[in-house]
Amino acid sequence: MICSCAVGFAQNSKLCYKGDKYLKAGNEKKAFKTYSKAYHNAEPDGCFKMAYCYVNNIDGHYDKGLAAEYYYAGLTSNPQMAIEGLKSLASASGNGTSLANMFLGYCYQQGEGVERDLEEAIRYYERAKGFTHLIYALQCELEANESGVAQNNPTTSDGTRSQVDSTKIDPSVRYAAEMPEFPGGIGSLNIWLASFINYPEYCRENNIKGLVLLEFVIEKDGSVGPVIIKKSAFPPLDNEAVRALRNMPKWKPGKDNGEPVRCYYMIPVRFAM
């Protein structure tokens, strides 16, 4: 994936200006090379000039998927322009549309370049297609936020508040006397995750790795209930982590006073190559 445009390394946009002159003179080859150099030299507009080239087939370079990556990389230098560029691609057809929608979903999920909005994130992920499990986790969080349970539930060990809907879990069982256990224990859980998870192709091709932290509910019967993404890595990684979680075998449920209770649990899912 295209690296983010750095801010503050370039004194100005001399190369971008030079590329504009080449383009105006009809020399697309020199314009493209100059824009590419501007990007690698971290000129603030470099990302957007490269995106323009790939959208408009400058010097035979046509790839709206790459254009989406350049727009997303431009979030650090000009968030408004980056979001506008992604939205123009997301509303178009053909190559790059799905990727642009994915990036926009992630922007709204994380609050990057826009105000955080889970409903918008879900809409863009639906358009991107293939993010069913990530959408489910965002819907769980959205329901929790709408219920106001985040204000009523106790804090976790890192100081954040629970995001699970109070109609779905009693906050009093965050720490049961007997916590839930995966069949065979934590070692078996790690083995199961390693064997079940499929590294997303896009992330593998672009060397994208990271850690997804998931908080979820183990129901009284040991099945996995609502899932919240506490720490996101990247959309395909988030989606795969939630998919694995939702397909787990039944756990040994948590217990209080010898009786099964619905209980919180949290696990990290690390993606590395």
Side-chain angles (χ1 to χ4, degrees):
M1 192 171 71
I2 305 299
C3 295
S4 298
C5 289
V7 178
F9 291 144
Q11 294 294 321
N12 46 48
S13 296
K14 286 183 177 179
L15 287 169
C16 286
Y17 177 71
K18 188 176 181 180
D20 290 343
K21 292 181 69 175
Y22 283 132
L23 193 61
K24 188 176 181 179
N27 194 333
E28 292 189 357
K29 184 177 291 293
K30 282 192 174 182
F32 182 85
K33 287 184 177 180
T34 306
Y35 289 146
S36 180
K37 188 175 180 181
Y39 164 73
H40 289 291
N41 281 10
E43 287 195 5
D45 289 339
C47 293
F48 305 109
K49 295 298 184 180
M50 292 301 294
Y52 175 86
C53 289
Y54 281 104
V55 169
N56 293 282
N57 196 24
I58 301 301
D59 191 36
H61 297 276
Y62 181 77
D63 188 329
K64 288 187 177 179
L66 275 176
E69 292 187 355
Y70 276 111
Y71 277 130
Y72 181 70
L75 274 170
T76 55
S77 61
N78 190 328
Q80 182 178 350
M81 187 179 293
I83 295 297
E84 288 175 356
L86 287 170
K87 286 183 175 180
S88 69
L89 290 176
S91 61
S93 59
N95 165 268
T97 301
S98 179
L99 200 57
N101 277 291
M102 181 195 77
F103 283 132
L104 284 166
Y106 196 53
C107 287
Y108 280 101
Q109 177 189 348
Q110 297 294 98
E112 291 186 3
V114 290
E115 185 176 348
R116 190 168 193 255
D117 187 329
L118 296 183
E119 290 184 343
E120 279 294 288
I122 289 169
R123 277 193 282 271
Y124 281 113
Y125 282 136
E126 286 174 340
R127 295 170 190 164
K129 302 188 184 303
F131 293 95
T132 305
H133 303 286
L134 172 52
I135 289 170
Y136 166 78
L138 295 182
Q139 287 171 335
C140 287
E141 183 177 352
L142 188 60
E143 290 173 10
N145 292 343
E146 289 174 349
S147 73
V149 69
Q151 281 72 46
N152 300 320
N153 282 355
T155 56
T156 61
S157 58
D158 63 357
T160 59
R161 293 190 177 273
S162 168
Q163 297 294 303
V164 180
D165 190 344
S166 58
T167 64
K168 298 181 179 181
I169 181 169
D170 182 348
S172 68
V173 293
R174 176 168 291 284
Y175 303 109
E178 294 181 41
M179 291 297 287
E181 184 179 46
F182 186 84
I186 191 68
S188 295
L189 171 60
N190 291 332
I191 292 171
W192 188 90
L193 285 170
S195 64
F196 189 85
I197 284 179
N198 298 314
Y199 213 107
E201 183 179 355
Y202 179 82
C203 295
R204 184 181 296 280
E205 290 175 352
N206 290 278
N207 195 31
I208 298 172
K209 44 198 173 181
L211 183 141
V212 183
L213 186 61
L214 301 173
E215 183 181 63
F216 54 101
V217 178
I218 297 298
E219 303 285 358
K220 291 181 181 181
D221 66 355
S223 60
V224 175
V227 181
I228 296 291
I229 299 170
K230 301 295 286 185
K231 181 181 184 298
S232 172
F234 195 63
L237 302 182
D238 295 351
N239 188 70
E240 181 61 15
V242 177
R243 182 190 75 86
L245 196 66
R246 298 181 72 193
N247 282 279
M248 281 184 175
K250 287 190 175 182
W251 291 48
K252 177 183 175 182
K255 290 184 178 181
D256 266 341
N257 299 318
E259 295 295 323
V261 291
R262 308 178 83 200
C263 193
Y264 292 98
Y265 205 87
M266 189 179 291
I267 62 170
V269 180
R270 186 177 299 278
F271 291 85
M273 290 180 287

